[in-house]
Amino acid sequence: MTLPVRMDDGTTKVFHGFRVQYNDSRGPTKGGIRFHPDETVDTVRALAAWMTWKTAVVDIPLGGGKGGVICNPKEMSPGELERLSRTYVRQVGRVLGLFEDVPAPDVYTTPQIMAWMMDEYSFLRGHNEFGVITGKPLALGGSKGRGDATARGGLFCVREAAKVLGLQLSGARAAIQGYGNAGSFAHSLGQQMLGLKVVAVSDSRGGIFNTNGLDAAAVEKHKQETGSVVGFPGATPISNEAILELDVVVLFPSALENVITSDNAGKVKAKIQAELANGPTTPEADAVLHKNGVYVIPDFLCNAGGVTVSYFEMVQNAYQYYWEEGEVHKRLDSKMTSAFHAVHDMATKYKVHNRTAAYLVSVNRVAEAVRLRGWA
């Protein structure tokens, strides 16, 4: 779609955007909207497919979708972002809906952007439609527990992996590559929930290491004040590449895609690799990790806590009753634990690595829905 937007200087700029609905055999499509200068329709197509498998592996009644706009939000004012967000919804609104396609925030989109989109859609419909968008502010029908859901869901998987592997997590060393939402919450919640000792973290500028552990609150405060974890007092510098090769029990790749390849997979010493980022491991690396006994919790299982709580938000919107945070955490725990064991059992049954097992679980569920509906 083309998106003409009036800019603050009075000119009109035409942006280009996309919305892809990949598969809705199990329910309405679900997936985020990305605002990024390098966005492409092919990326959006691939991510829509990925969302299909992600919702299926955690067994929530949704399909896969994704959206994107080619823009640089860092160079746009709040007014320009609002006008772009509302224009996007006016163009794509005819194919959105609680029972059709439900967007959410993604790269460089925020709860405020979701609020503008929900409001514009409600205006088009003539009544409030809170459930058409998830990741909204709490005041507009957002769900408690959404902010840390991705990391929390991943940590539930780590807990279950430790059980099947016979590992002790309290006091165990961990490293986190990437310190955005998922990585920072993995640090704080890893300490609180599992007693992990996080010895290294990094962001795009570099990393820090302390063999005695890094306090999550102190590191977060330093990043807020300086813009990076780099330079944290009492820590030594470490590269993003070196973090992946540390001798730790749990490694959290939480940043970029394709950081673990056939070149460095043999150097990964972690017992558990919990993929909070999308696509951090190449297919060639998977084989090496599996051969070396690294227990990989694949991305579209490990980071599915976000879409799971987005589904909870849809449910709460639909019947206008909102859960307390503890209830959200309890239901997320149940979903992630069940999904983890479905994948683990599949991997054990067919003697394959966990990523193949996760695809076996999810593709089978989608295929069954397609068959039962008479589509194939």
Side-chain angles (χ1 to χ4, degrees):
M1 68 202 81
T2 54
L3 307 166
V5 175
R6 180 177 56 81
M7 307 303 282
D8 289 346
D9 62 6
T11 62
T12 296
K13 184 174 180 179
V14 177
F15 296 88
H16 295 275
F18 320 99
R19 186 70 187 173
V20 174
Q21 297 166 345
Y22 183 80
N23 184 288
D24 65 354
S25 60
R26 289 172 45 85
T29 51
K30 186 86 184 75
I33 299 171
R34 302 153 64 92
F35 283 5
H36 196 280
D38 298 324
E39 197 57 73
T40 70
V41 70
D42 287 330
T43 302
V44 174
R45 287 186 182 119
L47 291 167
W50 219 330
M51 287 300 299
T52 302
W53 316 129
K54 185 181 291 191
T55 56
V57 81
V58 288
D59 200 19
I60 53 180
L62 300 172
K66 209 72 174 183
V69 177
I70 304 171
C71 68
N72 189 346
K74 294 181 178 181
E75 297 177 353
M76 299 173 68
S77 71
E80 291 169 340
L81 282 172
E82 178 176 359
R83 292 190 289 276
L84 175 60
S85 301
R86 292 181 181 275
T87 301
Y88 181 86
V89 170
R90 285 197 295 273
Q91 293 285 59
V92 79
R94 66 188 181 279
V95 297
L96 302 182
L98 181 59
F99 301 105
E100 297 172 79
D101 183 13
V102 181
D106 204 293
V107 174
Y108 294 145
T109 51
T110 63
Q112 176 60 75
I113 289 173
M114 296 303 105
W116 289 326
M117 289 186 174
M118 181 279 297
D119 181 69
E120 189 66 23
Y121 185 87
S122 297
F123 173 77
L124 294 173
R125 292 296 189 215
H127 56 265
N128 281 330
E129 286 268 8
F130 287 169
V132 73
I133 301 274
T134 61
K136 304 181 299 296
L138 289 178
L140 293 176
S143 176
K144 292 180 180 178
R146 178 63 184 86
D148 65 12
T150 300
R152 188 177 293 272
L155 288 166
F156 288 141
C157 289
V158 170
R159 180 196 66 197
E160 296 304 307
K163 289 178 183 177
V164 301
L165 296 172
L167 296 174
Q168 173 62 251
L169 291 179
S170 180
R173 288 158 55 98
I176 303 169
Q177 188 201 53
Y179 215 70
N181 174 278
S184 61
F185 275 121
H187 190 176
S188 58
L189 293 177
Q191 286 182 179
Q192 296 168 25
M193 294 169 55
L194 305 179
L196 292 174
K197 181 169 74 172
V198 177
V199 297
V201 302
S202 69
D203 56 29
S204 59
R205 299 187 192 176
I208 53 174
F209 173 81
N210 186 324
T211 190
N212 296 317
L214 298 162
D215 180 70
V219 173
E220 180 63 28
K221 183 173 184 290
H222 176 78
K223 177 157 186 176
Q224 291 295 325
E225 291 173 350
T226 68
S228 174
V229 300
V230 173
F232 180 72
T236 56
I238 188 171
S239 69
N240 269 292
E241 294 74 23
I243 276 186
L244 300 173
E245 301 170 10
L246 287 173
D247 185 8
V248 294
V249 174
V250 187
L251 172 65
F252 294 93
S254 310
L256 300 174
E257 67 276 2
N258 299 329
V259 295
I260 300 170
T261 67
S262 57
D263 293 332
N264 63 358
K267 301 175 184 176
V268 173
K269 301 179 183 68
K271 302 286 193 301
I272 299 171
Q273 179 175 300
E275 298 181 346
L276 291 176
N278 283 322
T281 307
T282 66
E284 296 78 14
D286 267 326
V288 176
L289 294 169
H290 183 59
K291 179 182 176 182
N292 290 347
V294 179
Y295 192 93
V296 175
I297 307 174
D299 48 7
F300 69 101
L301 167 62
C302 192
N303 66 26
V307 72
T308 302
V309 176
S310 281
Y311 164 63
F312 294 164
E313 183 175 334
M314 290 171 60
V315 172
Q316 293 169 83
N317 291 159
Y319 71 119
Q320 288 291 292
Y321 182 81
Y322 293 84
W323 308 334
E324 292 303 318
E325 192 166 34
E327 181 69 16
V328 174
H329 294 165
K330 178 182 175 182
R331 291 174 183 264
L332 176 62
D333 189 349
S334 176
K335 275 292 181 189
M336 297 303 297
T337 298
S338 177
F340 172 87
H341 286 287
V343 171
H344 177 78
D345 291 349
M346 187 72 79
T348 302
K349 179 179 179 180
Y350 289 103
K351 295 181 173 57
V352 294
H353 61 64
N354 287 340
R355 196 177 319 277
T356 295
Y359 277 116
L360 287 172
V361 170
S362 57
V363 174
N364 182 63
R365 287 173 175 168
V366 173
E368 183 182 19
V370 169
R371 180 185 63 82
L372 290 171
R373 296 182 70 152
W375 292 1

PDB file of all heavy atoms in Angstrom, residues 192-218:
ATOM      1  N   GLN A 192      15.754 -13.177  39.619  1.00  0.00           N
ATOM      2  CA  GLN A 192      14.635 -13.322  40.553  1.00  0.00           C
ATOM      3  C   GLN A 192      14.022 -14.712  40.527  1.00  0.00           C
ATOM      4  O   GLN A 192      13.754 -15.316  41.572  1.00  0.00           O
ATOM      5  CB  GLN A 192      13.555 -12.295  40.215  1.00  0.00           C
ATOM      6  CG  GLN A 192      13.958 -10.848  40.378  1.00  0.00           C
ATOM      7  CD  GLN A 192      12.947  -9.903  39.755  1.00  0.00           C
ATOM      8  OE1 GLN A 192      11.768 -10.232  39.602  1.00  0.00           O
ATOM      9  NE2 GLN A 192      13.397  -8.705  39.394  1.00  0.00           N
ATOM     10  N   MET A 193      13.771 -15.234  39.325  1.00  0.00           N
ATOM     11  CA  MET A 193      13.014 -16.474  39.181  1.00  0.00           C
ATOM     12  C   MET A 193      13.865 -17.729  39.328  1.00  0.00           C
ATOM     13  O   MET A 193      13.414 -18.729  39.888  1.00  0.00           O
ATOM     14  CB  MET A 193      12.320 -16.504  37.814  1.00  0.00           C
ATOM     15  CG  MET A 193      11.236 -15.458  37.635  1.00  0.00           C
ATOM     16  SD  MET A 193      10.686 -15.334  35.896  1.00  0.00           S
ATOM     17  CE  MET A 193      10.214 -17.041  35.523  1.00  0.00           C
ATOM     18  N   LEU A 194      15.088 -17.676  38.790  1.00  0.00           N
ATOM     19  CA  LEU A 194      15.900 -18.894  38.707  1.00  0.00           C
ATOM     20  C   LEU A 194      17.198 -18.821  39.498  1.00  0.00           C
ATOM     21  O   LEU A 194      17.901 -19.825  39.618  1.00  0.00           O
ATOM     22  CB  LEU A 194      16.223 -19.203  37.235  1.00  0.00           C
ATOM     23  CG  LEU A 194      15.028 -19.331  36.289  1.00  0.00           C
ATOM     24  CD1 LEU A 194      15.517 -19.602  34.864  1.00  0.00           C
ATOM     25  CD2 LEU A 194      14.084 -20.433  36.749  1.00  0.00           C
ATOM     26  N   GLY A 195      17.540 -17.633  40.007  1.00  0.00           N
ATOM     27  CA  GLY A 195      18.785 -17.496  40.756  1.00  0.00           C
ATOM     28  C   GLY A 195      20.031 -17.530  39.889  1.00  0.00           C
ATOM     29  O   GLY A 195      21.130 -17.834  40.360  1.00  0.00           O
ATOM     30  N   LEU A 196      19.878 -17.208  38.591  1.00  0.00           N
ATOM     31  CA  LEU A 196      21.029 -17.213  37.694  1.00  0.00           C
ATOM     32  C   LEU A 196      22.040 -16.126  38.080  1.00  0.00           C
ATOM     33  O   LEU A 196      21.662 -15.041  38.528  1.00  0.00           O
ATOM     34  CB  LEU A 196      20.574 -16.981  36.251  1.00  0.00           C
ATOM     35  CG  LEU A 196      19.753 -18.082  35.589  1.00  0.00           C
ATOM     36  CD1 LEU A 196      19.258 -17.617  34.228  1.00  0.00           C
ATOM     37  CD2 LEU A 196      20.566 -19.372  35.456  1.00  0.00           C
ATOM     38  N   LYS A 197      23.307 -16.421  37.876  1.00  0.00           N
ATOM     39  CA  LYS A 197      24.364 -15.424  38.055  1.00  0.00           C
ATOM     40  C   LYS A 197      24.812 -14.983  36.663  1.00  0.00           C
ATOM     41  O   LYS A 197      25.552 -15.690  35.983  1.00  0.00           O
ATOM     42  CB  LYS A 197      25.542 -15.997  38.840  1.00  0.00           C
ATOM     43  CG  LYS A 197      26.653 -14.982  39.070  1.00  0.00           C
ATOM     44  CD  LYS A 197      27.685 -15.471  40.061  1.00  0.00           C
ATOM     45  CE  LYS A 197      28.579 -16.536  39.473  1.00  0.00           C
ATOM     46  NZ  LYS A 197      29.706 -16.895  40.353  1.00  0.00           N
ATOM     47  N   VAL A 198      24.328 -13.824  36.239  1.00  0.00           N
ATOM     48  CA  VAL A 198      24.651 -13.317  34.900  1.00  0.00           C
ATOM     49  C   VAL A 198      26.027 -12.656  34.948  1.00  0.00           C
ATOM     50  O   VAL A 198      26.220 -11.652  35.635  1.00  0.00           O
ATOM     51  CB  VAL A 198      23.580 -12.312  34.411  1.00  0.00           C
ATOM     52  CG1 VAL A 198      23.969 -11.734  33.063  1.00  0.00           C
ATOM     53  CG2 VAL A 198      22.215 -13.001  34.332  1.00  0.00           C
ATOM     54  N   VAL A 199      26.980 -13.236  34.215  1.00  0.00           N
ATOM     55  CA  VAL A 199      28.360 -12.754  34.276  1.00  0.00           C
ATOM     56  C   VAL A 199      28.718 -11.844  33.106  1.00  0.00           C
ATOM     57  O   VAL A 199      29.755 -11.162  33.141  1.00  0.00           O
ATOM     58  CB  VAL A 199      29.352 -13.929  34.334  1.00  0.00           C
ATOM     59  CG1 VAL A 199      29.144 -14.740  35.606  1.00  0.00           C
ATOM     60  CG2 VAL A 199      29.242 -14.817  33.094  1.00  0.00           C
ATOM     61  N   ALA A 200      27.884 -11.816  32.058  1.00  0.00           N
ATOM     62  CA  ALA A 200      28.199 -10.979  30.898  1.00  0.00           C
ATOM     63  C   ALA A 200      26.917 -10.562  30.198  1.00  0.00           C
ATOM     64  O   ALA A 200      25.986 -11.366  30.059  1.00  0.00           O
ATOM     65  CB  ALA A 200      29.106 -11.716  29.917  1.00  0.00           C
ATOM     66  N   VAL A 201      26.888  -9.299  29.755  1.00  0.00           N
ATOM     67  CA  VAL A 201      25.781  -8.795  28.937  1.00  0.00           C
ATOM     68  C   VAL A 201      26.381  -7.868  27.887  1.00  0.00           C
ATOM     69  O   VAL A 201      27.500  -7.373  28.031  1.00  0.00           O
ATOM     70  CB  VAL A 201      24.720  -8.027  29.764  1.00  0.00           C
ATOM     71  CG1 VAL A 201      24.135  -8.902  30.866  1.00  0.00           C
ATOM     72  CG2 VAL A 201      25.297  -6.749  30.356  1.00  0.00           C
ATOM     73  N   SER A 202      25.616  -7.616  26.821  1.00  0.00           N
ATOM     74  CA  SER A 202      26.124  -6.717  25.782  1.00  0.00           C
ATOM     75  C   SER A 202      24.968  -6.018  25.092  1.00  0.00           C
ATOM     76  O   SER A 202      23.811  -6.448  25.169  1.00  0.00           O
ATOM     77  CB  SER A 202      26.941  -7.495  24.738  1.00  0.00           C
ATOM     78  OG  SER A 202      26.085  -8.343  23.984  1.00  0.00           O
ATOM     79  N   ASP A 203      25.296  -4.919  24.420  1.00  0.00           N
ATOM     80  CA  ASP A 203      24.358  -4.262  23.514  1.00  0.00           C
ATOM     81  C   ASP A 203      25.107  -3.952  22.221  1.00  0.00           C
ATOM     82  O   ASP A 203      26.205  -4.481  21.990  1.00  0.00           O
ATOM     83  CB  ASP A 203      23.722  -3.011  24.151  1.00  0.00           C
ATOM     84  CG  ASP A 203      24.749  -1.997  24.637  1.00  0.00           C
ATOM     85  OD1 ASP A 203      25.856  -1.936  24.046  1.00  0.00           O
ATOM     86  OD2 ASP A 203      24.462  -1.253  25.589  1.00  0.00           O
ATOM     87  N   SER A 204      24.556  -3.096  21.384  1.00  0.00           N
ATOM     88  CA  SER A 204      25.164  -2.861  20.072  1.00  0.00           C
ATOM     89  C   SER A 204      26.541  -2.202  20.161  1.00  0.00           C
ATOM     90  O   SER A 204      27.328  -2.275  19.221  1.00  0.00           O
ATOM     91  CB  SER A 204      24.233  -1.987  19.221  1.00  0.00           C
ATOM     92  OG  SER A 204      24.000  -0.748  19.864  1.00  0.00           O
ATOM     93  N   ARG A 205      26.849  -1.563  21.279  1.00  0.00           N
ATOM     94  CA  ARG A 205      28.135  -0.875  21.429  1.00  0.00           C
ATOM     95  C   ARG A 205      29.235  -1.768  21.998  1.00  0.00           C
ATOM     96  O   ARG A 205      30.415  -1.408  21.964  1.00  0.00           O
ATOM     97  CB  ARG A 205      27.975   0.356  22.316  1.00  0.00           C
ATOM     98  CG  ARG A 205      27.014   1.399  21.762  1.00  0.00           C
ATOM     99  CD  ARG A 205      27.041   2.644  22.614  1.00  0.00           C
ATOM    100  NE  ARG A 205      25.949   3.550  22.300  1.00  0.00           N
ATOM    101  CZ  ARG A 205      25.693   4.691  22.949  1.00  0.00           C
ATOM    102  NH1 ARG A 205      26.488   5.069  23.943  1.00  0.00           N
ATOM    103  NH2 ARG A 205      24.670   5.446  22.616  1.00  0.00           N
ATOM    104  N   GLY A 206      28.861  -2.895  22.579  1.00  0.00           N
ATOM    105  CA  GLY A 206      29.856  -3.778  23.170  1.00  0.00           C
ATOM    106  C   GLY A 206      29.311  -4.443  24.411  1.00  0.00           C
ATOM    107  O   GLY A 206      28.129  -4.303  24.745  1.00  0.00           O
ATOM    108  N   GLY A 207      30.199  -5.168  25.129  1.00  0.00           N
ATOM    109  CA  GLY A 207      29.742  -5.931  26.279  1.00  0.00           C
ATOM    110  C   GLY A 207      30.576  -5.705  27.511  1.00  0.00           C
ATOM    111  O   GLY A 207      31.630  -5.067  27.480  1.00  0.00           O
ATOM    112  N   ILE A 208      30.073  -6.261  28.633  1.00  0.00           N
ATOM    113  CA  ILE A 208      30.764  -6.168  29.918  1.00  0.00           C
ATOM    114  C   ILE A 208      30.775  -7.547  30.560  1.00  0.00           C
ATOM    115  O   ILE A 208      29.867  -8.357  30.358  1.00  0.00           O
ATOM    116  CB  ILE A 208      30.111  -5.146  30.868  1.00  0.00           C
ATOM    117  CG1 ILE A 208      28.608  -5.440  31.031  1.00  0.00           C
ATOM    118  CG2 ILE A 208      30.336  -3.727  30.350  1.00  0.00           C
ATOM    119  CD1 ILE A 208      27.918  -4.555  32.067  1.00  0.00           C
ATOM    120  N   PHE A 209      31.828  -7.815  31.362  1.00  0.00           N
ATOM    121  CA  PHE A 209      32.006  -9.119  31.980  1.00  0.00           C
ATOM    122  C   PHE A 209      32.495  -8.953  33.404  1.00  0.00           C
ATOM    123  O   PHE A 209      33.362  -8.117  33.680  1.00  0.00           O
ATOM    124  CB  PHE A 209      33.020  -9.947  31.179  1.00  0.00           C
ATOM    125  CG  PHE A 209      33.406 -11.252  31.829  1.00  0.00           C
ATOM    126  CD1 PHE A 209      32.584 -12.360  31.709  1.00  0.00           C
ATOM    127  CD2 PHE A 209      34.581 -11.359  32.562  1.00  0.00           C
ATOM    128  CE1 PHE A 209      32.931 -13.564  32.307  1.00  0.00           C
ATOM    129  CE2 PHE A 209      34.937 -12.550  33.166  1.00  0.00           C
ATOM    130  CZ  PHE A 209      34.098 -13.671  33.038  1.00  0.00           C
ATOM    131  N   ASN A 210      31.909  -9.743  34.300  1.00  0.00           N
ATOM    132  CA  ASN A 210      32.394  -9.810  35.683  1.00  0.00           C
ATOM    133  C   ASN A 210      32.139 -11.226  36.180  1.00  0.00           C
ATOM    134  O   ASN A 210      30.988 -11.664  36.257  1.00  0.00           O
ATOM    135  CB  ASN A 210      31.680  -8.800  36.580  1.00  0.00           C
ATOM    136  CG  ASN A 210      32.278  -8.745  37.987  1.00  0.00           C
ATOM    137  OD1 ASN A 210      32.702  -9.760  38.530  1.00  0.00           O
ATOM    138  ND2 ASN A 210      32.310  -7.556  38.571  1.00  0.00           N
ATOM    139  N   THR A 211      33.188 -11.941  36.487  1.00  0.00           N
ATOM    140  CA  THR A 211      33.053 -13.351  36.867  1.00  0.00           C
ATOM    141  C   THR A 211      32.234 -13.545  38.132  1.00  0.00           C
ATOM    142  O   THR A 211      31.697 -14.620  38.376  1.00  0.00           O
ATOM    143  CB  THR A 211      34.451 -13.989  37.029  1.00  0.00           C
ATOM    144  OG1 THR A 211      34.304 -15.401  37.158  1.00  0.00           O
ATOM    145  CG2 THR A 211      35.158 -13.421  38.259  1.00  0.00           C
ATOM    146  N   ASN A 212      32.099 -12.485  38.945  1.00  0.00           N
ATOM    147  CA  ASN A 212      31.316 -12.570  40.180  1.00  0.00           C
ATOM    148  C   ASN A 212      29.843 -12.251  39.970  1.00  0.00           C
ATOM    149  O   ASN A 212      29.052 -12.322  40.900  1.00  0.00           O
ATOM    150  CB  ASN A 212      31.892 -11.613  41.238  1.00  0.00           C
ATOM    151  CG  ASN A 212      33.299 -12.005  41.650  1.00  0.00           C
ATOM    152  OD1 ASN A 212      33.584 -13.193  41.860  1.00  0.00           O
ATOM    153  ND2 ASN A 212      34.188 -11.027  41.741  1.00  0.00           N
ATOM    154  N   GLY A 213      29.489 -11.882  38.730  1.00  0.00           N
ATOM    155  CA  GLY A 213      28.088 -11.589  38.432  1.00  0.00           C
ATOM    156  C   GLY A 213      27.826 -10.101  38.300  1.00  0.00           C
ATOM    157  O   GLY A 213      28.544  -9.259  38.868  1.00  0.00           O
ATOM    158  N   LEU A 214      26.802  -9.760  37.542  1.00  0.00           N
ATOM    159  CA  LEU A 214      26.400  -8.378  37.297  1.00  0.00           C
ATOM    160  C   LEU A 214      24.994  -8.175  37.844  1.00  0.00           C
ATOM    161  O   LEU A 214      24.079  -8.948  37.524  1.00  0.00           O
ATOM    162  CB  LEU A 214      26.405  -8.076  35.796  1.00  0.00           C
ATOM    163  CG  LEU A 214      27.748  -8.196  35.079  1.00  0.00           C
ATOM    164  CD1 LEU A 214      27.536  -8.308  33.573  1.00  0.00           C
ATOM    165  CD2 LEU A 214      28.642  -6.999  35.401  1.00  0.00           C
ATOM    166  N   ASP A 215      24.805  -7.159  38.664  1.00  0.00           N
ATOM    167  CA  ASP A 215      23.489  -6.883  39.229  1.00  0.00           C
ATOM    168  C   ASP A 215      22.588  -6.231  38.187  1.00  0.00           C
ATOM    169  O   ASP A 215      22.953  -5.214  37.591  1.00  0.00           O
ATOM    170  CB  ASP A 215      23.608  -5.979  40.455  1.00  0.00           C
ATOM    171  CG  ASP A 215      22.251  -5.668  41.055  1.00  0.00           C
ATOM    172  OD1 ASP A 215      21.631  -6.571  41.627  1.00  0.00           O
ATOM    173  OD2 ASP A 215      21.797  -4.507  40.911  1.00  0.00           O
ATOM    174  N   ALA A 216      21.409  -6.793  37.971  1.00  0.00           N
ATOM    175  CA  ALA A 216      20.523  -6.328  36.898  1.00  0.00           C
ATOM    176  C   ALA A 216      20.092  -4.880  37.102  1.00  0.00           C
ATOM    177  O   ALA A 216      20.114  -4.079  36.166  1.00  0.00           O
ATOM    178  CB  ALA A 216      19.295  -7.235  36.805  1.00  0.00           C
ATOM    179  N   ALA A 217      19.705  -4.525  38.303  1.00  0.00           N
ATOM    180  CA  ALA A 217      19.218  -3.162  38.555  1.00  0.00           C
ATOM    181  C   ALA A 217      20.322  -2.141  38.324  1.00  0.00           C
ATOM    182  O   ALA A 217      20.097  -1.066  37.741  1.00  0.00           O
ATOM    183  CB  ALA A 217      18.673  -3.059  39.977  1.00  0.00           C
ATOM    184  N   ALA A 218      21.534  -2.464  38.752  1.00  0.00           N
ATOM    185  CA  ALA A 218      22.655  -1.537  38.581  1.00  0.00           C
ATOM    186  C   ALA A 218      23.026  -1.377  37.112  1.00  0.00           C
ATOM    187  O   ALA A 218      23.301  -0.262  36.642  1.00  0.00           O
ATOM    188  CB  ALA A 218      23.859  -2.016  39.383  1.00  0.00           C
TER     189      ALA A 218
END
